[in-house]
Amino acid sequence: MLPTLVIRSSAIHAAGCYTTRTLRKGVRVCEYEGPRMTKAVADERYADRFVTYLFGYGTEDMVIDGFGTPMFFNHSCAPNCESEEIDGHIYISTLRPIKAGEELTYEYNLYDSDDATADCHCGAPNCRGTMFSPLELKRRARLARAAKRAATTNS
């Protein structure tokens, strides 16, 4: 039996996705679906848009332009779901049992974003303060150190 999902106001951000029945650990909740395109095409198409629902997948700089229920899953640093890629499909599955009425969340692990900060407001005790992946945070710190060295050298 598939879970019943509803969209309503969220304490994390705007609207969120909630389950109306208890879900077991390991349940595939939904698929992140939408048109597929290269990141370059998406960057051009959405250059003037503030909000997008792009989900990167594979190794070829491809994204899914998500629309539908999964776009309402908010980021959390203490998620109850995870995204998993299987044969080019992105599924959202539960990490633990989830009670009816709970908001469904997963870690966005953003990378290669134009956003300077991608602040997180999940409220989890272990909140990192950002939706960027740990690898992206390291990459950005490395770039900042290199820029600082270059500025010092050129002064």
Side-chain angles (χ1 to χ4, degrees):
M1 178 182 289
L2 292 175
T4 302
L5 306 175
V6 296
I7 310 304
R8 66 174 195 243
S9 183
S10 168
I12 296 173
H13 174 76
C17 184
Y18 296 78
T19 179
T20 61
R21 59 178 70 154
T22 299
L23 302 175
R24 295 182 329 275
K25 177 181 177 179
V27 170
R28 189 177 287 168
V29 179
C30 60
E31 182 175 356
Y32 203 97
E33 297 178 292
R36 293 161 183 263
M37 63 194 79
T38 65
K39 184 176 179 327
V41 168
D43 286 346
E44 185 178 314
R45 181 177 290 178
Y46 300 118
D48 298 328
R49 278 229 200 128
F50 179 70
V51 175
T52 61
Y53 297 95
L54 302 173
F55 196 110
Y57 72 97
T59 57
E60 305 289 321
D61 272 344
M62 296 296 292
V63 295
I64 298 172
D65 184 2
F67 191 77
T69 304
M71 70 188 245
F72 292 102
F73 281 52
N74 281 314
H75 164 87
S76 176
C77 296
N80 53 20
C81 294
E82 67 181 339
S83 61
E84 55 185 342
E85 182 178 346
I86 301 172
D87 297 326
H89 294 269
I90 305 298
Y91 299 102
I92 310 296
S93 300
T94 59
L95 285 169
R96 62 168 174 77
I98 300 174
K99 295 178 184 172
E102 254 188 274
E103 182 173 3
L104 302 175
T105 61
Y106 67 95
E107 262 195 271
Y108 285 3
N109 285 315
L110 297 180
Y111 64 94
D112 192 25
S113 173
D114 295 334
D115 290 341
T117 59
D119 294 338
C120 175
H121 304 282
C122 72
N126 65 329
C127 181
R128 295 190 321 268
T130 182
M131 294 183 284
F132 286 130
S133 72
L135 285 174
E136 179 66 6
L137 291 173
K138 287 179 185 177
R139 184 186 77 82
R140 286 173 178 247
R142 204 171 40 250
L143 291 172
R145 285 191 303 272
K148 187 176 180 180
R149 280 193 306 272
T152 304
T153 303
N154 294 333
S155 330

